[in-house]
Each structure stands twice: as C-alpha cells, then as structure tokens.
Amino acid sequence: MKMISDEMNGGLNEQITSEFHAAHTYLAMACKLDSMGLGMLSKWFRHHASEERAHGMKIVDYIGEVGGTVALDTIPKPTGDYAGIEAIVQAALDHELEVTRQINALVGLAEEQKDYATRGFLQWFVDEQIEEVATVGEVLNLVKMAEGRNLLQVEARVAKMLAPTH
Ligand code: FEO
C-alpha cells in the first residue's frame, strides 16, 4: 500500500538525485585533489562521496518501505574546473547548504501534509546536515588559514579527522 503522496514521493526522488549528484561531485573533487598531490584531502572527499551515496540509498529504501515508486533521474555532470583548493572546499560547502535547504523543504512538505512517518524519517537528514555543514566548514577554515602555504599541515589535520575515534 502506498503510504506517501505523489508530491512527497516526487520530492524524495529529487532528493535521491541530489544526493547522488553530491557523491559524483565529491568524487570528481577527490580526483582533482589527488592530481594536486593532496592525498588526505582527496581521501576525505572520497569518503564523503561514499556517504552521499549511502544517503541516496537510504531514501531509495524508505520509498520502498512506504510503497512509493523510485524514479532515478540523470545525474548532472560534475564541474571539473576549480581555481584551487579553497574553491573546491567552498563549492562543497555551498553544495551542503543547498542540500540543507532541500531537506528543510521536504520537512516542510511532510509537516504540511501531516505525513509524520516521512517527517520522522527526515529527522536523520536534518541532524546529518548539521554535522556535514560543520565538518566541511572546518575543512574550509583549515584551507583558508593555510593560505596556500601550509598545505601539509592541512593534510595532517584532515588525516586526524579521518582516523577512527575508537
Ligand atoms: Fe547528503 Fe551531504 O548531503
């Protein structure tokens, strides 16, 4: 039985595309950083790309659970021409802020429709966006502080962020 509206279903499908677009974009950024010799930053972006793919899959699973229809769309081509490291991380932060707006819009729609199941499901994404915006912001600050000089320090700090905490 279908437990979500067509509009909600459509919004969730758009979000799947947005998450996969983020995964695609972050992988392109990882490759660019790797070619610049910044292995740790590249690894961090690669890790982030996997997380975005997992976000998309989480929505795929949810739509299935509530009897909706998954409709995958074209994933836009990632931009490959960034002016430098700061431009890459800034673009990632802008992307996260855009995703946050999209998630908030879905939350608004769920509330408007009294779709409390989807509202509950989306809370995980609301929390995740707080963490992601904070983390990407932290990396951007590190890159800005390095001012193109102390990139090895940035690499060391990012390596620490990637290290398991347990
Ligand atoms: Fe899944 Fe970083 O938004």
Side-chain angles (χ1 to χ4, degrees):
M1 191 188 128
K2 187 168 180 176
M3 294 165 63
I4 52 172
S5 71
D6 287 347
E7 195 182 354
M8 194 74 239
N9 196 155
L12 290 171
N13 274 328
E14 278 175 24
Q15 195 59 35
I16 293 172
T17 304
S18 179
E19 301 288 346
F20 286 170
H21 180 212
H24 220 45
T25 300
Y26 295 157
L27 182 57
M29 289 171 169
C31 295
K32 176 84 178 171
L33 289 160
D34 199 34
S35 74
M36 294 162 89
L38 294 160
M40 280 301 144
L41 272 166
S42 171
K43 198 172 165 187
W44 185 83
F45 268 92
R46 197 180 265 255
H47 175 76
H48 206 134
S50 309
E51 286 194 345
E52 298 303 348
R53 190 170 163 73
H55 295 171
M57 291 308 296
K58 220 174 162 67
I59 305 171
V60 168
D61 291 344
Y62 177 73
I63 293 176
E65 277 172 30
V66 293
T69 307
V70 173
L72 299 178
D73 206 342
T74 310
I75 301 169
K77 186 178 173 179
T79 326
D81 51 344
Y82 295 104
I85 302 157
E86 189 176 324
I88 290 176
V89 186
Q90 181 68 58
L93 181 60
D94 292 345
H95 202 91
E96 287 305 325
L97 292 170
E98 176 58 23
V99 170
T100 302
R101 278 190 286 276
Q102 290 167 344
I103 295 291
N104 286 340
L106 287 173
V107 167
L109 180 64
E111 288 182 352
E112 193 185 299
Q113 299 194 342
K114 298 190 177 9
D115 178 353
Y116 298 116
T118 304
R119 173 66 188 88
F121 165 72
L122 289 169
Q123 189 57 42
W124 185 89
F125 286 85
V126 171
D127 298 340
E128 181 72 5
Q129 281 313 118
I130 294 171
E131 192 197 314
E132 297 217 326
V133 168
T135 311
V136 179
E138 193 182 337
V139 174
L140 182 60
N141 279 342
L142 286 175
V143 170
K144 278 185 176 170
M145 279 191 292
E147 291 177 337
R149 291 192 304 269
N150 304 313
L151 288 172
L152 288 178
Q153 273 184 350
V154 176
E155 284 277 279
R157 287 284 292 273
V158 172
K160 271 194 186 165
M161 288 168 81
L162 279 166
T165 49
H166 53 270

